[in-house]
Amino acid sequence: MMSDAVEKAFAAIPGLISGGLTTITAGSPIHVQGFPSFVHKVCSLTSKYEEEQVVKRELTLVKQRLAQPNITQAQQADCLVRLLFAHVLGYDVSFGYISAVKLAQQGTLAYKRMGYLACTLFLHENHELVLLLINTIQKDINSSNIMDVCMALTATCSLVNTEMIPAILPFVQEKLKHQKEIIRKKAVLCLFKFHRMAPNSVQHIHHSFKEALCDKDPGVMWSALHIYHDLIKHSPSEYQDITQSLVSILQQVVSRKLPADYEYHHVPAPWLQIKLLQVLALLGKDQQKISRVIHPVLAEVLQRSESNQNITFGVVYECILTITSISPDTRLLEYAAKCTGKFLRSKANNLRYLGIKALTKVIQVAPQHALDHQMTVIECLEDPDHTIRAKTLELLYRMCNSVNVKVICDKLLEYMEKDTEKSIKGDIANASLRGEDSVLLFAVQTYWELLQRKDVPNKLIQIGAW
Amino acid sequence: MQFMLLFSRQGKLRLQKWYTAQPDKLKKKITRELVTTILARKPKMCSFLEWKDMKIVYKRYASLYFCCAIEHDDNELLTLEIIHRYVELLDKYFGSVCELDIIFNFEKAYFMLDELLLGGEVQETSKKNVLKAIAAQDLLQEETDDTKSLLEELGLTG
């Protein structure tokens, strides 16, 4: 009874039923229940079998409706909503893909929007139907209606494949000069996608990347940084000359020179800070001179990140990674190690997890900092969360040296005795297998001791390989 | 970001957005396994997972789980904030969002996501700007004569 009442209530919401309840056909009318009552019905069913019955019946109906010659755009959009719903539930709705393409091609305004959405969710860049969209995308990117441009750029990002890039690229490139930053931003992200898919296809427009990086809008500049991140990852030496500019941008961000709009929970543009830190980490790697240019701003980032917001920790974490990636500076490393301690001592599991990861990086450059945190780290082995235990093990192998090997091994064996989870024992076996220099000593000893035990899983015995 | 999934406590998928091309079969497999893995985790456990070759960040809001697969050099805490920002946006749009809003108006939730993320990268960080863009798009639905003037008012005409 109750569910009947609810169903009626949902069916009565007028704005939600875009397709109308009855479709008049040339012959007999097809009776269609409103989308909300269909959804409600599906949600109220408890067995998978019943659900299948209802959804399949609905899909047959949708198929009939879509086949009608005089179907309106509103009805097509209504059908697509139903198909999308069934698609998320895992049903095959491929018969309707072509209708999505048609609506994106021929639809107007809101219906075009629905058509494009369905295309991006049903299809992917390698789907054969995307070829049918090239002309539509070209036309819409060039439209004088800004909404069409936005939709087309969004579709470009998920549907254009390598072969289509040359046909679309000039139109996207043109949009880099658009007066609205929302369009410029979308265009830059399309180029980023193209660059990821086929770097050669955008090789001749590197000057456009540079223009985007110098855009007066910080959002556009930030989007361009994604491209630079990739470029620098592949050939860091070619981009050394932008280090100074990036350092000054970061300096300006941390000293709150950006408009208040760019603050997130009172932290100045954290996403931009994090991106800049990632790029600087690549530029300063093994480059002492460049690293010296970067060092001061890293200290500033840490100094200014004192709040206990999650996002502040995100910035600090990234900064620690950058400090450990570029040529080392003793004072900065000490600072980084101190900050790492804050993560490790936190009660929040997320922060402890990142603390373990950060310390793994720190001790690779500055092993002396391992000792300060040794006991805290070992305690993490007792954590109920497998994710944290696995990361801790990885760190312990790295921390291990001839001085602390006994302590760590004792703890590990004691821990294995208690632990009933097979997976973690497997982890230990796997990690021992890596057999890196300092790890080797540790592994040999672990192995030796394990061999003397009776309850060791077979997997461990297999490490006799070395 | 490689994909974002929204699913309920009962393991029902509510929304999925893939930023890399994958065969449907693989998508289903990943979804099924990941949902099971996450639902098996206890509430206080950390929000990050190294799962297969993927880095997973997830968070539960009321009855819905938001789950993202990110690149290896992506920042985990920043991803949590992206999820949070998405929830804030849905909240503002629907007025205290609940799972039902997303079930019945999932296309709206997708439109919102498309303004927040493009090709798996954050495109707009200002809450105000995302809502402004969505409001302008929603006006398309009305198809009235004064749509254009309203668009102009919002600064969104070409």
Side-chain angles (χ1 to χ4, degrees):
Chain A
M1 290 313 275
M2 177 69 185
S3 80
D4 275 350
V6 177
E7 190 171 333
K8 269 181 204 147
F10 275 121
I13 303 170
L16 287 168
I17 314 160
S18 44
L21 290 172
T22 317
T23 317
I24 310 295
T25 57
S28 60
I30 300 177
H31 288 283
V32 184
Q33 59 179 341
F35 175 65
S37 42
F38 163 57
V39 172
H40 184 73
K41 192 161 189 182
V42 172
C43 291
S44 63
L45 298 172
T46 40
S47 86
K48 187 77 195 163
Y49 175 75
E50 283 176 310
E51 182 198 286
E52 244 179 73
Q53 297 296 308
V54 173
V55 175
K56 286 199 169 148
R57 208 178 315 133
E58 180 71 24
L59 290 180
T60 319
L61 216 56
V62 168
K63 208 170 179 173
Q64 284 172 18
R65 289 173 71 199
L66 284 173
Q68 290 168 351
N70 54 350
I71 185 169
T72 65
Q73 289 186 6
Q75 287 162 345
Q76 284 176 35
D78 179 65
C79 286
L80 287 182
V81 171
R82 290 162 201 257
L83 292 183
L84 281 171
F85 180 75
H87 182 65
V88 173
L89 290 177
Y91 293 88
D92 175 26
V93 296
S94 50
F95 69 84
Y97 292 179
I98 189 71
S99 305
V101 172
K102 272 196 220 153
L103 198 58
Q105 287 169 337
Q106 297 154 13
T108 48
L109 302 166
Y111 304 127
K112 182 183 264 305
R113 183 190 185 205
M114 192 62 222
Y116 266 130
L117 176 71
C119 286
T120 59
L121 295 171
F122 288 149
L123 311 176
H124 52 78
E125 63 207 39
N126 302 321
H127 198 285
E128 51 188 354
L129 287 180
V130 295
L131 285 172
L132 299 177
L133 283 168
I134 297 186
N135 286 332
T136 310
I137 290 178
Q138 285 176 336
K139 196 181 83 217
D140 287 335
I141 295 186
N142 253 351
S143 164
S144 59
N145 182 331
I146 192 162
M147 290 298 151
D148 290 342
V149 184
C150 284
M151 290 181 217
L153 288 173
T154 305
T156 298
C157 250
S158 53
L159 296 177
V160 169
N161 60 42
T162 318
E163 284 81 50
M164 286 159 74
I165 293 176
I168 306 280
L169 182 62
F171 298 91
V172 175
Q173 205 187 347
E174 177 69 29
K175 293 300 151 207
L176 294 173
K177 299 192 191 82
H178 200 278
Q179 63 179 103
K180 292 268 176 269
E181 56 266 12
I182 184 172
I183 299 287
R184 297 205 299 278
K185 224 177 326 186
K186 284 182 202 281
V188 172
L189 287 173
C190 286
L191 292 184
F192 172 55
K193 184 75 198 286
F194 293 166
H195 183 259
R196 274 252 159 119
M197 281 196 292
N200 289 338
S201 67
V202 288
Q203 212 167 21
H204 58 290
I205 60 156
H206 275 205
H207 60 278
S208 297
F209 298 164
K210 193 145 198 183
E211 274 166 40
L213 191 66
C214 300
D215 198 284
K216 58 182 190 297
D217 179 74
V220 179
M221 183 272 283
W222 172 53
S223 305
L225 264 182
H226 288 106
I227 305 179
Y228 276 85
H229 190 190
D230 276 13
L231 287 172
I232 293 168
K233 206 184 280 172
H234 291 111
S235 42
S237 54
E238 272 178 51
Y239 295 92
Q240 285 178 358
D241 54 333
I242 62 166
T243 312
Q244 186 59 59
S245 319
L246 298 183
V247 167
S248 346
I249 295 172
L250 184 53
Q251 213 130 33
Q252 289 174 40
V253 176
V254 291
S255 30
R256 298 183 182 274
K257 294 275 164 58
L258 286 184
D261 268 5
Y262 290 92
E263 287 192 6
Y264 181 86
H265 296 211
H266 305 295
V267 180
W271 45 87
L272 183 53
Q273 288 195 49
I274 287 173
K275 195 57 140 188
L276 285 164
L277 287 166
Q278 288 170 342
V279 175
L280 290 175
L282 297 171
L283 285 167
K285 196 172 178 8
D286 302 324
Q287 297 288 338
Q288 210 169 14
K289 230 171 103 191
I290 303 242
S291 294
R292 262 191 240 123
V293 178
I294 304 172
H295 288 147
V297 77
L298 297 182
E300 211 175 324
V301 168
L302 290 182
Q303 273 157 18
R304 290 192 184 247
S305 304
E306 288 288 325
S307 79
N308 278 333
Q309 301 262 17
N310 243 337
I311 191 63
T312 312
F313 281 109
V315 173
V316 171
Y317 173 68
E318 202 63 56
C319 196
I320 296 172
L321 297 189
T322 306
I323 290 171
T324 57
S325 304
I326 64 176
S327 295
D329 174 272
T330 325
R331 243 192 60 240
L332 268 180
L333 276 168
E334 258 168 45
Y335 204 166
K338 206 180 107 207
C339 294
T340 308
K342 217 169 146 188
F343 280 80
L344 286 170
R345 286 189 304 273
S346 165
K347 285 204 174 63
N349 277 336
N350 288 348
L351 297 185
R352 275 199 302 140
Y353 171 83
L354 293 177
I356 295 163
K357 275 180 80 173
L359 188 60
T360 312
K361 291 277 185 186
V362 170
I363 59 163
Q364 279 169 40
V365 212
Q368 71 272 22
H369 292 297
L371 195 62
D372 314 343
H373 305 291
Q374 192 166 298
M375 287 329 283
T376 325
V377 172
I378 287 181
E379 273 163 31
C380 289
L381 272 182
E382 311 267 342
D383 201 279
D385 191 344
H386 167 78
T387 310
I388 291 188
R389 291 197 306 269
K391 267 280 161 270
T392 309
L393 280 175
E394 209 176 306
L395 171 59
L396 284 175
Y397 303 126
R398 303 230 174 241
M399 277 171 75
C400 201
N401 56 38
S402 52
V403 183
N404 60 15
V405 65
K406 187 85 182 71
V407 187
I408 293 181
C409 271
D410 283 352
K411 190 73 193 176
L412 264 183
L413 287 170
E414 177 193 323
Y415 161 71
M416 282 179 75
E417 224 164 299
K418 276 191 285 181
D419 191 45
T420 48
E421 264 183 62
K422 289 238 165 49
S423 65
I424 206 88
K425 292 183 183 173
D427 283 342
I428 292 178
N430 281 335
S432 311
L433 269 169
R434 285 186 208 151
E436 293 167 38
D437 305 327
S438 69
V439 179
L440 199 62
L441 177 67
F442 166 56
V444 169
Q445 186 154 352
T446 316
Y447 178 44
W448 178 246
E449 299 208 39
L450 287 171
L451 274 188
Q452 297 171 7
R453 304 177 55 87
K454 290 195 189 90
D455 55 344
V456 181
N458 288 338
K459 215 172 180 180
L460 279 177
I461 303 297
Q462 287 162 10
I463 61 176
W466 49 264
Chain B
M1 191 181 292
Q2 295 171 33
F3 59 80
M4 187 191 262
L5 304 175
L6 263 69
F7 55 88
S8 71
R9 243 177 342 172
Q10 289 78 33
K12 285 249 183 225
L13 190 60
R14 296 301 182 204
L15 192 139
Q16 55 172 340
K17 185 85 190 177
W18 296 77
Y19 296 106
T20 48
Q22 307 278 9
D24 274 349
K25 223 169 148 190
L26 185 62
K27 283 189 197 171
K28 277 189 191 164
K29 184 167 180 276
I30 292 176
T31 308
R32 200 176 46 237
E33 292 179 14
L34 194 54
V35 167
T36 318
T37 310
I38 291 177
L39 287 177
R41 291 176 61 80
K42 298 196 178 68
K44 285 243 169 93
M45 288 185 169
C46 85
S47 308
F48 317 129
L49 272 184
E50 274 173 35
W51 188 76
K52 308 209 163 165
D53 308 332
M54 285 176 242
K55 205 155 109 176
I56 305 290
V57 175
Y58 74 93
K59 191 166 164 105
R60 184 179 150 182
Y61 285 88
S63 62
L64 270 187
Y65 283 85
F66 291 69
C67 163
C68 301
I70 56 173
E71 309 294 331
H72 277 273
D73 48 8
D74 280 343
N75 187 299
E76 290 93 335
L77 288 173
L78 189 65
T79 310
L80 271 184
E81 297 304 316
I82 294 170
I83 294 177
H84 187 70
R85 174 46 54 97
Y86 185 42
V87 175
E88 280 180 342
L89 284 166
L90 292 171
D91 226 33
K92 194 101 188 169
Y93 185 75
F94 288 112
S96 172
V97 67
C98 67
E99 194 185 336
L100 275 179
D101 290 320
I102 291 172
I103 298 174
F104 284 96
N105 302 286
F106 65 89
E107 77 277 20
K108 303 258 186 328
Y110 278 120
F111 289 136
M112 186 74 81
L113 190 58
D114 279 346
E115 285 307 311
L116 177 66
L117 302 174
L118 185 59
E121 300 292 337
V122 179
Q123 64 163 323
E124 182 55 74
T125 51
S126 145
K127 209 161 35 176
K128 209 173 68 194
N129 287 350
V130 174
L131 291 167
K132 218 162 76 176
I134 291 292
Q137 291 176 20
D138 283 350
L139 285 177
L140 294 177
Q141 216 113 13
E142 325 225 319
E143 271 186 279
T144 51
D145 287 342
D146 45 33
T147 305
K148 203 154 190 264
S149 64
L150 271 161
L151 288 178
E152 270 156 15
E153 214 171 282
L154 287 161
L156 278 158
T157 40

